[in-house]
């Protein structure tokens, strides 16, 4: 395992904000990420390789449920199991917190993400029309019992 998974800390915020801009057409602002750090109902994990943030996963808890807000892996680290490791670690931590189900939205066209989630036992729970902007696109709602 070349990346270590740890809870998000202040030192990771600039790298996460940069990855949001790189990976998403409608990125979270730095301020939004900072507010997640200070929110007791948010739980974010980062995958780090030395000083480099290779990826991160953010969730918000509404016990007994949680939502994955975002999952991103830096281009140089894709297809190396980083997303899988983040999802595994998040699932483990949420179970410790008595969370029994996890849901998320994913762009209809985002095949790599959909494949990852399906492989991890998420199933289709619905659709949100025109959920995404830049470009406008439907979201699939996927859900998994933990």
């Amino acid at each position: 395992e070349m990346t270590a998974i740890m809870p998000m800390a202040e030192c990771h915020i600039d790298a996460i904000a940069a990855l949001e801009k790189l990976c998403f057409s409608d990125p979270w602002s730095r301020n939004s990420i900072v507010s997640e750090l200070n929110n007791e109902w948010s739980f974010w994990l980062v995958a780090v390789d030395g000083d480099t943030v290779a990826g991160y996963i953010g969730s918000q808890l509404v016990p007994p449920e949680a939502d994955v807000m975002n999952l991103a892996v830096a281009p140089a680290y894709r297809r190396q199991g980083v997303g899988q490791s983040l999802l595994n670690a998040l699932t483990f931590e949420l179970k410790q917190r008595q969370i029994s189900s996890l849901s998320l939205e994913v762009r209809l066209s985002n095949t790599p993400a959909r494949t990852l989630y399906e492989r991890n036992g998420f199933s289709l729970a619905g659709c949100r029309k025109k959920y995404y902007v830049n470009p406008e696109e439907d979201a699939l709602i996927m859900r998994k019992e933990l």
Side-chain angles (χ1 to χ4, degrees):
E1 183 79 321
M2 75 179 178
T3 54
I5 311 271
M6 61 189 68
M8 173 172 73
E10 211 162 323
C11 61
H12 301 130
I13 286 172
D14 288 337
I16 290 171
L19 273 178
E20 274 286 311
K21 282 192 186 130
L22 184 67
C23 298
F24 301 113
S25 54
D26 189 27
W28 283 44
S29 68
R30 189 182 189 283
N31 285 348
S32 297
I33 298 161
V34 170
S35 70
E36 290 294 287
L37 190 61
N38 303 320
N39 178 353
E40 64 173 319
W41 298 110
S42 292
F43 184 68
W44 288 45
L45 291 169
V46 293
V48 295
D49 176 21
D51 290 333
T52 306
V53 172
Y56 56 91
I57 192 166
S59 67
Q60 288 181 347
L61 284 59
V62 187
E65 302 183 8
D67 281 291
V68 176
M69 309 308 294
N70 38 16
L71 167 60
V73 177
Y77 289 90
R78 287 181 189 160
R79 307 197 66 85
Q80 295 173 37
V82 175
Q84 181 66 60
S85 296
L86 284 163
L87 204 49
N88 289 349
L90 180 69
T91 304
F92 177 82
E93 293 289 343
L94 293 177
K95 280 184 181 169
Q96 307 302 307
R97 291 164 170 73
Q98 316 303 309
I99 297 294
S100 57
S101 76
L102 188 54
S103 54
L104 55 87
E105 281 93 16
V106 61
R107 274 187 187 270
L108 192 57
S109 63
N110 190 346
T111 307
R114 287 175 60 182
T115 304
L116 175 69
Y117 299 137
E118 281 163 12
R119 232 184 19 231
N120 281 275
F122 284 84
S123 54
L124 194 57
C127 181
R128 291 192 211 281
K129 295 284 179 200
K130 301 181 180 177
Y131 178 81
Y132 291 103
V133 296
N134 302 328
E136 188 176 273
E137 191 175 357
D138 294 351
L140 297 180
I141 305 163
M142 300 185 78
R143 184 183 169 96
K144 172 186 182 160
E145 301 305 315
L146 301 186

